[in-house]
Amino acid sequence: MTGVGPGPGFRPRAAPAMSPDAAAAVLDTATLDAFRAICDLAPLPVLDDLTTARARSVLADVDLLVTGWGCPPLDAAALAAAPRPRAVVHAAGSVRGHVTEACWERGVEVSSAAAANAVPVAEYTPGMILAGDDPHYGRQAYSTRTGQTAPGNVADNHLSVEVDGRPSTRRRIHPLGAGHGDGWGWAASWHRPVFVTGPPMVPGLRVESVTVAYGRLELRVHRVIGAPDNSLVTQTGWATGPEQDVVSALFGLHGWDPSPGTVRAPGGTAWTRWAEVPRLTGPADGTCAHVALAALTAEPDPVPLADAVSRCVADERGVDVIWADGARTRGAFDPPAVSHEGNR
């Protein structure tokens, strides 16, 4: 972008114009601080109606507009109230919804994030071709003694982020690392949650997952990044039924509501006419960590999951777990790494 200001020391005055929901998704504290480092940013809230007295007051004093989803049209009337803007920086893809012919006639320079959006769109497209929940991508674990739940039933071994009541599914999986030792192993990946109904993605929403297998137990650690306010995270386990001699269980260690629940899957699996699936739920907001134990066992009297861990400390940086047998597992997200000390 050139010609926005008169000289090298010039600090442009900028104002964000988009819907409040879009602002909540893309203008986090770090992003706002980055803007303020290079320009004078108009006070929030964002402009979502350019006809108000406040909007006209702000527009009269800005050199560029930072726009996003829900930005009102930058038509002749809006530009008449904004004599100075020479650039529109759009924090999304297409600008057709708000950049009008009046902008081009004014000579306003326009940039967008269309190129940055290309990869997420490419990832989303095959997901929509597959339609709905695809067990090959969506499931976090499989076994030789259980099957996947039927379409339309609750998904087994699935991590979902619910935004405005819409549950997500997992599509393309990006590996982050893996390793193993004597009697234990780990693998990590990340994905962008995809929503089959409504808008297909939430800008900035990402889930990073680390699974540690230790004996019959799985330590499932998730870091959710960019979750909108009042979001919900759910985690399910293996689906089992009355004909089976295996037991599936989940236990929340951090970030989950205290009491796990069980959801019926009336369509059953390849192993049983109907099934039950353990499920955890927990709130999500911004960046948050969720840690749980999962187990599938045919042992007659398995140790309750609540007694399998003596201590768990977790935050958005990682997790530190001391097992009941004295072993210790530590996992970090930046960069992804897992260490394990003691027993087996």
Side-chain angles (χ1 to χ4, degrees), residues 120-131 134 137 171-172:
V121 170
E123 293 173 351
Y124 169 71
T125 301
M128 289 299 97
I129 293 174
L130 292 169
D134 177 10
Y137 286 93
R171 285 291 176 259
R172 181 179 175 187

Side-chain angles (χ1 to χ4, degrees), residues 84-99:
R84 288 168 48 182
R86 298 185 60 186
V88 171
V89 179
H90 189 50
S94 175
V95 298
R96 294 179 183 176
H98 65 291
V99 173

Side-chain angles (χ1 to χ4, degrees), residues 85-119:
R86 298 185 60 186
V88 171
V89 179
H90 189 50
S94 175
V95 298
R96 294 179 183 176
H98 65 291
V99 173
T100 69
E101 190 64 30
C103 293
W104 307 123
E105 292 175 356
R106 167 80 73 85
V108 175
E109 298 186 42
V110 178
S111 70
S112 81
N117 279 349
V119 171

Side-chain angles (χ1 to χ4, degrees), residues 1 30 59 61 76 82 84 109 113 134-135 140 149-150 197 200 208 237 331:
M1 188 185 307
L59 290 173
D61 193 36
R84 288 168 48 182
E109 298 186 42
D134 177 10
Q140 290 183 301
T149 52
T197 60
E208 299 171 347

Side-chain angles (χ1 to χ4, degrees), residues 203-219:
L205 181 60
R206 166 180 169 131
V207 175
E208 299 171 347
S209 301
V210 178
T211 298
V212 180
Y214 181 47
R216 69 177 181 88
L217 303 174
E218 282 191 5
L219 180 68

Side-chain angles (χ1 to χ4, degrees), residues 8 20 44 59 65 74 93 107 125-126 135 164 187 198 211 239 279 285:
L44 299 178
L59 290 173
L65 289 170
L74 301 177
T125 301
D164 296 329
T211 298
R279 181 172 67 179
D285 181 7

